[in-house]
Amino acid sequence: MPSSPSTFTTGLPGLDRVLHGIEPGDNIVWEVEAISEYQELVVPYAAAAKAAGRHLIYFRFASHPPLLPEMAGAEIHQIDPAGGFENFVRCVHAVIEQAGRGAIYIFDCLSPLADTWGSDQSLGNFFMLTCPRLLDLETVTYFGLYRDHHSLYALEPIRATTQFMLDVFRFDGRLYVRPLKVQHRSRDAMNTIHVRHGDVFLPVKDSAVLAQILSRTQWPRLQSDRRIGYWRRLFHEAQTLAQECRENRCPPDRREEMLRRVRWALRVHRSGIAPLVERFLTFEDFLAIRDRMIGIGSVGGKTLGMLVARAILRERDPELAARLEAHDSFFVGAEVFISFLVQNGVWWLREQQKSPETFLQGLEEGRRLILNGYFPDGILEQFQGMLDYFGESPYIVRSSSILEDARGNAFSGKYESVFVVNRGSREKRMAALLDAVRRVYASVLDEDTLLYRKRRGLLESEERMALLVMRVSGAPQGRYYYPQAAGVGLSYNPYVWHPDIDPRAGVVRLVFGLGTRAVDRCDDDYTRLVALNAPTRRPEANFEDAREHCQRRMDCLDLRKGEFVSLPFPEVISEKPEFPLEHYLSYTAEGYPWITFDRLLTETPVAADLRRMLALLEEVYEHPVDIEFTINFLADGSYRIHLLQCRTFQFHREAGGMAPTVPGTQTRLLTAHGAVIGVSREQRLSRIIYIVTEAYARLPERDRYAVARLIGRLNQQHPSDDRGLMLIGPGRWGTHSPSLGIPVSFAEISRASVVCEVVAMHERLIPDVSLGTHFFNDLVEHDMLYVAYFPKKTGNQLDTEWFHGTPNRLLELEPTAGSFAEVVRVIDCDATGGRVWLRADATAQEALVFRTD
């Protein structure tokens, strides 16, 4: 039978006395020079445990010789750390939970874990996740570490979490132990070196002897930079090699091997564009990344996409690359995020999001912990260095997760980006930065983001949030700060409104000021849509239409108030900007300005440059691409394009013409000539959710929100494998303003195949095509078709009698929705006495819903 908990022991009575006893829950970390020193302490500890009848467990994962022979009687668990940090944590904790209370544990030396994972932070995170659970279970555990092998990213979390941290070294053939941390024990043991004589440990008290020992052992504690850890050691070696390469003293195979190691440390292999990164980012590019990096780990998909796109232009079109605005961004490594979650108690909450049964639980608590979380001193010091570099220039903190912007998973708008005006005292500016970082981190726990991951089969995928911190492009113009123009560009144009337009030439969506109005759907305004092979060909039919659909408001940073603002553009330009307004504005006969971009598109090479850029990037990516950019003219008349982002655009080109015509008698239910966005198709419809325009228009605002939630519930009830759901409703789907349409989130319409906007709720409401917006990217990624129905347009038709007269299944599906029975009609198509079909031709901009007998 095991002895009582009070008899826990190191197996060395003299050491027990030095440490004032071993207690249940103690974790003991030994810093050693060689594995033999650790083994000298492990063997008596294990022998004492077995003699006392305790459950002895040995975790074996390092390449050093075993600490215990097989006959020692320990339960041995072999775990391969090459399976990754998260797998290793799960395997270790599974053993711990099964063993239960009071076990005795021995771990191999932990240092090889940092080498395998390429991260001291991961080692520190593992310890912070494991040590507290062992304490709770009243176990006693031995861990080993190699001295001077790790940076503070590993040492500080370990020191802060463990109960004992003891330095062990040999001098003149004798073993010495120096307690570095002895929690809740006598302070007499602290900072006192003891030398082993058999089973006795005697204190070394004479200063002369202490000085002799410590000086000859080259004690490194006052020079923490010497403890550089895996990451710094790797890049120090890389810097040395780079110098040798510059001096032509480096063999190519050695350079290639170092490049491979650096790419692995930055987790390039986890990126969806890893082949492009390996092809275009040079050794010097990676060293430049490290020079501007806070923390360690992956820099994420958005960062790599931006850097690769610039490298492609640098190699393939140097003239165009010379027109790019230089970026001086900083990169916050993904390991900072993981450490932040661990240190602020969010890790295990986040782990449950990998299960479809629990992935939406605890989100509010997790966000609260993140938004109030703290950062370690080392990271704060680096943040301060970045702020000192930026001075008081505005910057934006952008998400750059590992999964983000990968092929097939754009994560458009799923994570936060936060503008920081960056004015005021040093303390105030630091507080604003930390708040912005926390907000981006907290967006990982956003419900829409997690639903997106579930739809894409990514719940179990490891998601690590790196950050891209970029100077805001532009300049101060009076009290406001903004770029002159910004936009979104697509290398393939899925919106062809005229025969002159070549979809392969690409399209851009331009705005005056910050690009947020081009990326995020703005219900109160419009943007300029430009087909790059015909930049003067507007979607509007005449001057009055063009005036009606021009941009009226602009986004910028108010330097005086220190905030992001959206204002009427005449108010902003009243500050007399110092750049050529004539490139962007036209004037009515009465002298009133309106935003057209006419001279920018006709008198400068900007449109041609953007077309070249998009074509070149698509050629290299071998896939249509989506970019974000800004444009600024300089005092000498030249201009710069700032390439902010590049990713694959999830659009599937049509393989051929329309599907064969459906035979039989056809009755037209909906005929639309206008905006048809997506892949041409002919398909059967199984269900139509039809929102009655007149009834919806009479609803108060709160009821319009209730209708949106009702649609979300109906959406969830629709079979996920049935692609026959069509939505028809007034105004804009996904609007933030219920007065302009139906305020659903994308998750509430995710199972639809076709979304139709009826432009009839308000006489001035004309949908701004959501091309390039995050909402539109969701439509495209899920292969949805977008149709705009203009009731007053010649040839358009809606058979309201049929839609109002067919059976409504709403109350069968949602019995409590009686108050909306006249507003929401759920039509099961096969129950209407025939079959209902959709035929859509995006090239001809025509869509037809019809019924056959």
Side-chain angles (χ1 to χ4, degrees), residues 13 47 68 142 161 189 191 227 262 312 329 375 399 696 728 745 772:
L68 296 175
Y142 269 25
T161 312
N191 299 314
R227 297 175 293 166
V262 167
I312 290 170
S329 308
F375 294 88
S399 65
Y696 184 79
I728 304 175
S745 67

Side-chain angles (χ1 to χ4, degrees), residues 477-480 560 570-577:
Q477 310 291 343
R479 68 180 286 180
Y480 302 110
R560 192 175 302 169
E571 180 178 336
V572 178
I573 64 173
S574 67
E575 293 280 322
K576 296 182 173 54

Side-chain angles (χ1 to χ4, degrees), residues 80-102:
D80 184 3
F85 167 80
E86 297 194 14
N87 179 70
F88 189 84
V89 170
R90 281 193 290 270
C91 291
V92 168
H93 279 255
V95 174
I96 291 171
E97 296 304 323
Q98 185 174 7
R101 309 184 76 82

Side-chain angles (χ1 to χ4, degrees), residues 61-127:
F61 48 82
S63 59
H64 61 63
L67 299 172
L68 296 175
E70 292 187 7
M71 65 283 299
E75 177 184 312
I76 301 175
H77 291 270
Q78 298 267 357
I79 303 176
D80 184 3
F85 167 80
E86 297 194 14
N87 179 70
F88 189 84
V89 170
R90 281 193 290 270
C91 291
V92 168
H93 279 255
V95 174
I96 291 171
E97 296 304 323
Q98 185 174 7
R101 309 184 76 82
I104 299 292
Y105 290 96
I106 297 168
F107 281 75
D108 272 350
C109 182
L110 298 179
S111 297
L113 294 178
D115 296 335
T116 301
W117 296 332
S119 168
D120 277 16
Q121 282 179 303
S122 291
L123 174 56
N125 290 335
F126 165 73
F127 196 88

Side-chain angles (χ1 to χ4, degrees), residues 451-614:
L451 289 170
Y452 176 91
R453 290 183 62 185
K454 184 174 185 292
R455 288 195 303 271
R456 308 298 288 181
L458 297 172
L459 277 183
E460 295 184 4
S461 297
E462 185 178 1
E463 175 63 307
R464 296 185 171 213
M465 179 64 75
L467 301 176
L468 173 59
V469 185
M470 307 184 80
R471 183 190 301 274
V472 178
S473 177
Q477 310 291 343
R479 68 180 286 180
Y480 302 110
Y481 188 106
Y482 53 91
Q484 297 165 31
V488 171
L490 307 177
S491 64
Y492 183 83
N493 182 359
Y495 181 58
V496 178
W497 64 86
H498 192 275
D500 289 349
I501 294 173
D502 178 5
R504 294 168 299 182
V507 63
V508 297
R509 179 180 168 97
L510 277 177
V511 295
F512 189 57
L514 291 172
T516 43
R517 301 184 82 78
V519 175
D520 299 310
R521 188 168 178 166
C522 296
D523 294 323
D524 61 347
D525 211 353
Y526 301 93
T527 63
R528 176 70 194 270
L529 205 61
V530 182
L532 290 175
N533 75 303
T536 61
R537 176 68 67 181
R538 299 187 65 113
E540 299 84 10
N542 53 51
F543 176 82
E544 290 304 321
D545 279 349
R547 277 287 312 279
E548 179 67 22
H549 300 108
C550 70
Q551 179 185 347
R552 290 178 169 79
R553 300 176 68 83
M554 63 182 290
D555 293 347
C556 54
L557 302 178
D558 188 327
L559 300 177
R560 192 175 302 169
K561 290 185 176 180
E563 62 187 22
F564 174 95
V565 294
S566 296
L567 299 170
F569 84 87
E571 180 178 336
V572 178
I573 64 173
S574 67
E575 293 280 322
K576 296 182 173 54
E578 298 179 4
F579 62 84
L581 278 171
E582 62 271 14
H583 287 314
Y584 312 102
L585 305 183
S586 297
Y587 295 85
T588 65
E590 298 77 23
Y592 186 82
W594 56 301
I595 299 170
T596 63
F597 301 99
D598 284 348
R599 294 183 65 176
L600 178 76
L601 297 171
T602 59
E603 298 180 10
T604 77
V606 165
D609 281 351
L610 289 171
R611 181 177 179 179
R612 282 167 58 195
M613 182 183 298
L614 287 165

Side-chain angles (χ1 to χ4, degrees), residues 561-812:
K561 290 185 176 180
E563 62 187 22
F564 174 95
V565 294
S566 296
L567 299 170
F569 84 87
E571 180 178 336
V572 178
I573 64 173
S574 67
E575 293 280 322
K576 296 182 173 54
E578 298 179 4
F579 62 84
L581 278 171
E582 62 271 14
H583 287 314
Y584 312 102
L585 305 183
S586 297
Y587 295 85
T588 65
E590 298 77 23
Y592 186 82
W594 56 301
I595 299 170
T596 63
F597 301 99
D598 284 348
R599 294 183 65 176
L600 178 76
L601 297 171
T602 59
E603 298 180 10
T604 77
V606 165
D609 281 351
L610 289 171
R611 181 177 179 179
R612 282 167 58 195
M613 182 183 298
L614 287 165
L616 180 55
L617 293 172
E618 176 175 328
E619 177 187 346
V620 173
Y621 269 77
E622 298 180 342
H623 195 285
V625 297
D626 165 359
I627 67 170
E628 293 179 21
F629 62 90
T630 66
I631 299 167
N632 291 288
F633 278 80
L634 307 180
D636 62 3
S638 64
Y639 63 87
R640 296 289 182 270
I641 299 174
H642 198 347
L643 183 55
L644 305 172
Q645 180 173 315
C646 179
R647 62 189 174 198
T648 55
F649 176 51
Q650 311 307 321
F651 180 82
H652 305 286
R653 287 195 179 95
E654 301 168 39
M658 293 289 291
T661 302
V662 176
T665 303
Q666 299 180 9
T667 302
R668 294 187 173 220
L669 305 177
L670 170 68
T671 306
H673 298 83
V676 177
I677 302 176
V679 179
S680 300
R681 67 192 70 189
E682 185 163 279
Q683 68 176 84
R684 280 186 61 186
L685 297 177
S686 59
R687 176 174 291 174
I688 299 174
I689 298 178
Y690 175 78
I691 311 302
V692 181
T693 298
E694 299 79 6
Y696 184 79
R698 291 192 296 267
L699 293 177
E701 182 174 293
R702 67 178 183 277
D703 285 348
R704 294 185 183 185
Y705 282 112
V707 166
R709 305 295 84 78
L710 172 59
I711 292 169
R713 296 195 297 275
L714 294 170
N715 175 73
Q716 286 300 111
Q717 292 183 45
H718 190 75
S720 59
D721 58 350
D722 180 356
R723 295 290 294 160
L725 174 62
M726 181 175 186
L727 307 177
I728 304 175
R732 299 176 180 175
W733 288 92
T735 181
H736 295 295
S737 174
S739 64
L740 297 176
I742 304 172
V744 290
S745 67
F746 183 79
E748 291 173 316
I749 63 169
S750 60
R751 298 186 179 179
S753 176
V754 190
V755 176
C756 178
E757 294 183 347
V758 179
V759 190
M761 198 174 73
H762 191 289
E763 63 180 8
R764 292 179 58 83
L765 176 63
I766 300 176
D768 179 25
V769 178
S770 41
L771 181 64
T773 66
H774 292 148
F775 188 84
F776 179 67
N777 274 346
D778 281 327
L779 296 179
V780 172
E781 284 193 17
H782 289 77
D783 196 27
M784 290 187 188
L785 189 78
Y786 168 92
V787 177
Y789 172 73
F790 296 82
K792 296 180 181 180
K793 191 169 185 176
T794 303
N796 284 2
Q797 173 191 344
L798 180 66
D799 188 346
T800 54
E801 183 176 340
W802 185 86
F803 282 101
H804 288 222
T806 50
N808 185 0
R809 288 202 60 208
L810 174 66
L811 297 184
E812 296 178 45

